Amino acid sequence: MTENKGTEQCCSDNEDLFEGYDSIVCDSSFLAKLEDVELQMRQCHDQQTPNLCEDYLSDSILAEDFRDSPLRALPSSQPEFHKAVTTPHKSPSRGAHNTSTPDLINPRPAVNHADLNVNKPPSKARRSMKDHLKKVLIDNAATSSTVSKTVQQKEAVMTEEMSFAMQAMESISAEGDLGPFFGLPSKVKDLILRFKGIQDLYEWQKTCLSLDSLQQRRNLIYSLPTSGGKTLVAEILIFKELLCRKKDALVILPYISLVQEKVRGLAGFGIELDFMVEEYAGSKGKFPPVKRRNKNSLYITTIEKGHSLVNSLIENDRLDNIGLVVVDELHMLGDGSRGAILEMTLSKILYMSKSTQIIGMSATLGNVGDLQTFLNAENYTSDFRPIELKEYVKVKDSIYEVDPKEETCFSFSRLLDFKYSSGMQKMDPDHIIALATEVIPQLSCLIFCATKKNCENLAGMICKYLNKEFLKHKKAEKATLLGELKSSGNGSLCPVLQKTVPFGLAYHHSGLTSDERKLVEEAYSSGVLCLLTCTSTLAAGINLPARRVILRSPYVAAEFLKRSQYKQMVGRAGRAGIDAMGESILILQDKDINMAKELLSASMEKCYSNLLHDGGRGLLSLVLSLIGLKIATTVEQVRDFMKGTLLSVQEAQVSPERSLWDLTVESIETLKQKSLIEASGDVHNETILQITRLGRATFKGSVDLNYCDLLYRDLSKGLEGLLLNSFLHLVYLVTPYDMVHQCKPDWMIYFRQFTNLSAAEQKMATAVGVPESFVARKAAGQSVRKSVDIVVVNRLYLALVLYSLLKETNLWNVSDRYQLTRGFVQTLLSSASAFGSSVLHFTEELEEFWAYKSLLLELTRRLTYCVQAELIPLMEVTGVMEHRAKQLYNAGYKTLAHLANADPQILVQTIENLFKRQANQMIASAKMLIKEKAEALQEEVDDLLMLPPDLPSL
């Protein structure tokens, strides 16, 4: 290498950073010397004289050309190689140096040559010195110059560009973009295909997800017809919140069945995408929810549980953890007391958390503008339906197509010409059998009836006249279904279902048990059943579409249909991906034609605030919770909050005679009279409002204000002589007050069950106000002179029903014994479970009721499941009813761990009438439960091991 005498301190833009590399590599004499050295080294190794080789190499080429060469004379990027050669090696490890370059600075100590042959590892093929030098030179070429200002400037520019790119990435991340699928990873799209079978979104869904309001995180209300695909849009927004913004999400649904269906449907996503899915329905749900450090949660709740959850988050200053709230069926704001609870929940979120986005899904409403004002939201509306819906009415023998543009509202479609016998015409004057058999058994049909009894009678009547060929259609599957229905009833089978199921028919209403409903729904969805006669509750609940929907009459019970109810029912017509179209037929009598025309041409109903429903109970509850949560502590602050309610928006329509201010002041005075709040003094001439102990217990337990003082008296009286050798006394205390008037006792049955009680239990009954003499006189039909509180009498009767159920867990036997429908008994059980949870939270706030806490915890658990103890772990899995739990247990799946680790294929083969999709959902739900329990335990461990932040120090 020749030394550059005039090395420039500042290199020009045209500087050749490779300078002498080419001259070195192309210098044949240099390379020849290098090869000679290599050859000599090999010979040295062959002669076992490594030290000599090292000395020779050190004194040869490298020593001559590198050791004494001044650093400044090297090309600008070559010092890296010089540094590598001359820098001592740190902690060399075996095999770390695959080079023949010696350690010039720290020569290795002398080695006993005799030892070299002992355990000598096989030598690896040596790399040519020439090849190695070339590699080092090329590596050096990639090393930035430490001398060139130009290179430094380029590096500075690159650093600035990288910094800018990082900022851009951070801003994108803040907006929540993680991938190509509406800002989500492609994995989400793959999971939607895998779990839901959806390959692509509808155009309206893509448009909606691209709205500026959603991109800028503004609140949104979107309205579409039933089956339009509203749910998927909400789920994509939920995934974005959980995965991109790393915030929790809350979904509020109107019914427990919908909550359970949603939990089952999203548990698989939670497992795959690593977020928690938590159910808040009935007695399920923890308040406040477990605080998770490393995972986000999706809370799926009923309206009531959603309100309690929001209250607990506000109380613990955690509401900002909720980034998104999705409300399904937003028009439920207009639904009585439940609408009032939903309005309270949304008003608190709007007032307390400005960062939480609210998305509302709704049927088309006539006054959606009011809801927009209330929620400060934009509105997106579409009339899209994936399947064309044709609406018809039937009058006598004629079918008319519904056409609101026509003056008469109807246009003639076809004349019916069914060959009915005189007997058949008398039994079925509306030709329902003929209308149904046009589509069944190959296609499906739903027939909506006005009452539960109509459902059962109609299903039985249709079977009488069906062709015997119907019995052959899916005969084996129907036999399996009958066996499962019988097993679910512990050997009992509804006589109507026993008759109708072989023909592929069943009825569906609240009189069925949860197990029966589940089995009927699954059989209908899979095509085993082709026709259901049902009440309007099916339209509002789980999605069971049909090719044809028939409305038996334009009534629900004794009331004429509302437009929203009609639209919900006919919206079930048409199954996306199965039917080319859907059709509905409304059967009319002459007297109903004019009202039906008004129904079909009317604009959509309007949604109004229900805070004043039932004497203003909603408003009272809202004011109580505002003071209890310290959202408002003065009358003026309460007034300020009330300005953000739907009631405030609709004040002129809902309360034209009295102002909202007057109503608020009156509510505060009422709460004072009930001893639920009190004035504690003045600050700046404003009275400070505080909640009392009873008030706190009432709002924490979500107890109805009409019953809070009664509950307190019953619990206090219970402490005087609490019966502990039987569950009866505790069961009585959690029997819901609001169900007392739904059942009138059969006095003979009452007396028979009363006499079967133990002496201690009869004494307890007398203590609460129901002496045996009273029941005996009523059973004998004699007059009763002594005044007895009939509410207490009826409540004890319901408590006896629940007590019997707890003892033997056979719902059919208990229903027969008390002559009650099994649906009513199950409703009573679920209501008692939910009320028991409320009473538990009520007692936790009152020190004098400390004794109830542990007792009610166990009782509530038993009421929730009401099965043998060994089945309870399986019953915790969402959607697993008693019958399915027994099947799983008997098949060897005895714990959550068994079910979570099950093979879905084996599960389907082992469990009768279980389909692959259901098996996958069940396994995912079990995995989610185990994950949830493990996470809760881990959080507890972390809390125990965490160093206290306020630890004293010197």
Side-chain angles (χ1 to χ4, degrees), residues 7 41 61 73 111 125 394 455 663 676 729 761 790 793 803 805 901 932:
T7 304
M41 279 190 67
I61 303 298
V111 179
K394 175 188 172 297
C455 292
L663 292 168
L676 299 174
H729 200 167
E761 288 168 341
I790 198 64
V793 173
Y803 183 49
L805 202 52
N901 292 288
E932 190 178 323

Side-chain angles (χ1 to χ4, degrees), residues 639-660:
R639 181 186 187 184
D640 183 55
F641 179 95
M642 296 304 297
K643 290 176 184 176
T645 60
L646 179 61
L647 177 59
S648 175
V649 176
Q650 298 176 330
E651 183 179 352
Q653 299 99 315
V654 176
S655 180
E657 297 176 0
R658 305 189 63 193
S659 70
L660 183 56

Side-chain angles (χ1 to χ4, degrees), residues 724-735:
L724 293 177
N725 63 353
S726 161
F727 268 119
L728 181 59
H729 200 167
L730 286 171
V731 167
Y732 172 78
L733 292 172
V734 300
T735 301

Side-chain angles (χ1 to χ4, degrees), residues 281-297:
S283 61
K284 290 186 177 180
K286 184 176 175 60
F287 302 104
V290 175
K291 191 173 184 179
R292 307 186 191 282
R293 294 187 184 88
N294 302 318
K295 281 187 175 62
N296 293 106
S297 292

Side-chain angles (χ1 to χ4, degrees), residues 105-123:
I105 306 300
N106 296 314
R108 281 169 284 193
V111 179
N112 186 344
H113 296 176
D115 294 336
L116 291 177
N117 288 327
V118 181
N119 299 326
K120 181 179 178 180
S123 60

Side-chain angles (χ1 to χ4, degrees), residues 471-647:
L471 294 170
K472 298 177 183 177
H473 185 72
K474 299 199 174 184
K475 185 175 181 180
E477 292 92 332
K478 288 185 286 194
T480 301
L481 174 60
L482 278 173
E484 297 223 309
L485 286 166
K486 191 171 183 178
S487 297
S488 74
N490 293 302
S492 300
L493 177 62
C494 169
V496 177
L497 291 177
Q498 187 172 19
K499 179 182 176 183
T500 62
V501 167
F503 287 92
L505 278 65
Y507 66 89
H508 185 289
H509 58 60
S510 60
L512 293 171
T513 66
S514 298
D515 273 339
E516 288 173 319
R517 270 203 303 275
K518 188 87 179 146
L519 287 168
V520 166
E521 288 165 2
E522 289 173 355
Y524 177 81
S525 296
S526 62
V528 175
L529 297 175
C530 57
L531 185 148
L532 295 182
T533 57
C534 50
T535 54
S536 59
T537 52
L538 184 139
I542 193 168
N543 186 22
L544 293 175
R547 168 59 185 268
R548 176 173 288 179
V549 170
I550 299 172
L551 279 68
R552 176 76 179 78
S553 75
Y555 292 90
V556 172
E559 293 187 6
F560 202 82
L561 273 178
K562 296 177 183 175
R563 182 165 175 79
S564 58
Q565 291 172 320
Y566 169 78
K567 282 294 184 184
Q568 213 162 31
M569 292 180 194
V570 302
R572 295 294 180 219
R575 297 165 298 170
I578 300 174
D579 298 326
M581 61 167 284
E583 54 188 13
S584 67
I585 301 173
L586 171 61
I587 297 174
L588 297 175
Q589 308 303 322
D590 289 338
K591 65 183 180 65
D592 298 321
I593 291 176
N594 289 332
M595 290 181 70
K597 286 180 179 178
E598 290 179 18
L599 167 73
L600 297 168
S601 59
S603 58
M604 294 304 294
E605 280 102 357
K606 295 183 177 181
C607 175
Y608 291 107
S609 169
N610 272 267
L611 286 180
L612 301 182
H613 174 75
D614 196 12
R617 284 164 61 187
L619 184 57
L620 284 169
S621 295
L622 175 57
V623 174
L624 177 65
S625 63
L626 291 179
I627 297 168
L629 292 167
K630 298 182 180 177
I631 295 173
T633 55
T634 67
V635 177
E636 193 58 43
Q637 286 176 350
V638 174
R639 181 186 187 184
D640 183 55
F641 179 95
M642 296 304 297
K643 290 176 184 176
T645 60
L646 179 61
L647 177 59

Side-chain angles (χ1 to χ4, degrees), residues 412-432:
F412 179 78
S413 177
R414 64 187 171 111
L415 191 66
L416 299 178
D417 186 22
F418 299 127
K419 307 299 182 184
Y420 270 29
S421 65
S422 58
M424 192 172 173
Q425 180 68 38
K426 187 176 181 181
M427 290 294 294
D428 182 25
D430 294 321
H431 306 107
I432 290 174

Side-chain angles (χ1 to χ4, degrees), residues 256-268:
I256 292 176
S257 61
L258 293 179
V259 169
Q260 292 173 340
E261 184 185 22
K262 184 67 72 179
V263 170
R264 284 197 306 273
L266 292 180

